[in-house]
Amino acid sequence: MAVHEGFRTTAGGLRDCFPLRLYQKAKRLGVWDPAAFDFAQDRRDWQGLDELQRETVLSLTSLFVAGEEAVTLDLLPLVMAIARDGRIEEELYLTTFLFEEGKHTELFSRFLYDVAGGPTDLDRFHVPSYRKLFYEELPAAMERLLTDSSAEALARASVTYNMIVEGVLAETGYHSYHESLAANNLMPGLCDALVEIKRDESRHIAYGVYLLSRLVAEDATVWEVIEARMQELFPHALGVVTETFDRYEDGITPFGLEMSTFTEFATAQFGKRYDRIARARGKTFEEIDQEAGE
């Protein structure tokens, strides 16, 4: 039977570190309500769209809503693994992480029901690379943490979740989708919501970079696991983009979204984080913690 040998809060208190600062940010910035956004103009905009434009909105939104549901379903093993390791400050932040993923799921589900009439066949937009990542790789990597919380397992899970699913697909998708809708003066309610979602996702990705950097600083050989996992999954992430855009002439959607915009933004963001984690080899915890907040 598992027993506790002591508690941080009675043996010196919580430690000031990057995850605890993320927790403080989440309390201030992550308390928006998905039910509070006004979709009245979004409904009017939807009525004015042609068939291809509606299919485009449904296609992109289907990737977002299923992705948010997937990460909500699959996050708990990471929380449990971090808790078993006694990292209370990281666990505190991860409680807000799960709360926010749930809100993202609620937001897109509400948009589809209130604006688009509640379509039920949206998995038809889930291209092969998307299914590979969200139907197979994500749940498998996260479920492994239920029985294996080794540095290797944590690294594989965090790369899958934070670097690929969030750092490549979610961040890129939300950025480009928001820019396109705003440029076309469409869906103001959804645009406002995307601002909040992007802010949440930036904290999630920052934690992932911190976690992976910490693992590498503690054991430099973990970098090889991270690098291999990134190289394994990054082509699938780009595949989601290319396979989704294959249905559009010249790779441009009716709203002006271009495939190159997605791939270039994703590659640039991925490269920055890749380099930052690689530099964690040989660094101390204090250096990792300081750099995470920069």
Side-chain angles (χ1 to χ4, degrees):
M1 181 178 67
V3 297
H4 291 297
E5 297 180 357
F7 297 95
R8 177 73 61 77
T9 49
T10 57
L14 297 174
R15 176 179 56 188
D16 179 31
C17 58
F18 183 65
L20 191 63
R21 294 191 291 274
L22 282 179
Y23 174 64
Q24 305 298 345
K25 281 187 176 181
K27 288 191 298 178
R28 296 194 308 272
L29 304 174
V31 292
W32 54 274
D33 183 359
F37 291 96
D38 183 0
F39 285 152
Q41 183 58 49
D42 298 55
R43 285 190 289 271
R44 289 190 287 271
D45 289 343
W46 174 262
Q47 294 301 318
L49 299 181
D50 61 33
E51 183 178 356
L52 181 57
Q53 290 172 327
R54 289 187 180 187
E55 283 286 285
T56 300
V57 170
L58 291 178
S59 172
L60 294 172
T61 307
S62 78
L63 303 182
F64 296 147
V65 70
E68 295 292 356
E69 181 180 351
V71 293
T72 302
L73 292 171
D74 295 329
L75 177 61
L76 196 54
L78 176 60
V79 183
M80 296 171 68
I82 293 297
R84 287 197 301 270
D85 202 26
R87 298 182 181 275
I88 183 64
E89 295 87 358
E90 292 187 37
E91 185 186 359
L92 284 175
Y93 172 61
L94 287 172
T95 63
T96 72
F97 202 131
L98 182 58
F99 173 59
E100 288 163 0
E101 300 291 29
K103 289 200 301 177
H104 301 172
T105 304
E106 177 190 356
L107 183 283
F108 287 116
S109 180
R110 182 187 164 221
F111 175 82
L112 286 170
Y113 183 84
D114 288 355
V115 176
T120 58
D121 60 344
L122 299 185
D123 56 356
R124 61 193 167 94
F125 295 115
H126 295 174
V127 294
S129 289
Y130 186 93
R131 290 178 179 272
K132 177 67 175 177
L133 288 173
F134 287 92
Y135 287 60
E136 300 176 25
E137 294 292 345
L138 178 64
M142 302 304 288
E143 186 175 354
R144 177 180 171 183
L145 295 178
L146 293 174
T147 56
D148 179 5
S149 55
S150 65
E152 176 191 356
L154 279 167
R156 286 176 59 85
S158 184
V159 167
T160 308
Y161 199 128
N162 304 114
M163 291 292 291
I164 299 298
V165 167
E166 293 191 312
V168 176
L169 292 176
E171 183 183 50
T172 302
Y174 294 145
H175 170 79
S176 301
Y177 196 30
H178 177 270
E179 291 296 306
S180 178
L181 290 177
N184 287 278
N185 197 29
L186 291 171
M187 309 290 180
L190 180 58
C191 282
D192 289 344
L194 286 172
V195 171
E196 301 293 348
I197 291 173
K198 289 193 295 178
R199 184 181 291 142
D200 292 348
E201 295 289 355
S202 70
R203 292 192 298 273
H204 299 177
I205 297 166
Y207 172 76
V209 172
Y210 167 87
L211 172 59
L212 291 169
S213 298
R214 173 171 69 75
L215 293 172
V216 170
E218 293 167 351
D219 180 357
T221 64
V222 174
W223 168 249
E224 297 175 5
V225 176
I226 293 171
E227 185 177 34
R229 186 62 168 166
M230 288 178 176
Q231 298 302 325
E232 177 188 1
L233 297 184
F234 189 64
H236 293 299
L238 290 185
V240 174
V241 177
T242 58
E243 292 163 22
T244 298
F245 275 82
D246 279 348
R247 65 196 300 264
Y248 301 108
E249 185 176 354
D250 298 324
I252 304 175
T253 76
F255 304 109
L257 285 169
E258 298 186 33
M259 184 171 65
S260 61
T261 301
F262 280 77
T263 56
E264 290 170 6
F265 183 88
T267 301
Q269 295 297 93
F270 180 84
K272 292 176 186 177
R273 290 158 188 155
Y274 183 99
D275 292 342
R276 186 162 196 162
I277 296 166
R279 293 196 300 269
R281 289 171 289 185
K283 293 191 175 180
T284 65
F285 172 82
E286 289 73 19
E287 289 172 322
I288 295 300
D289 189 69
Q290 180 179 355
E291 290 181 2
E294 294 177 353

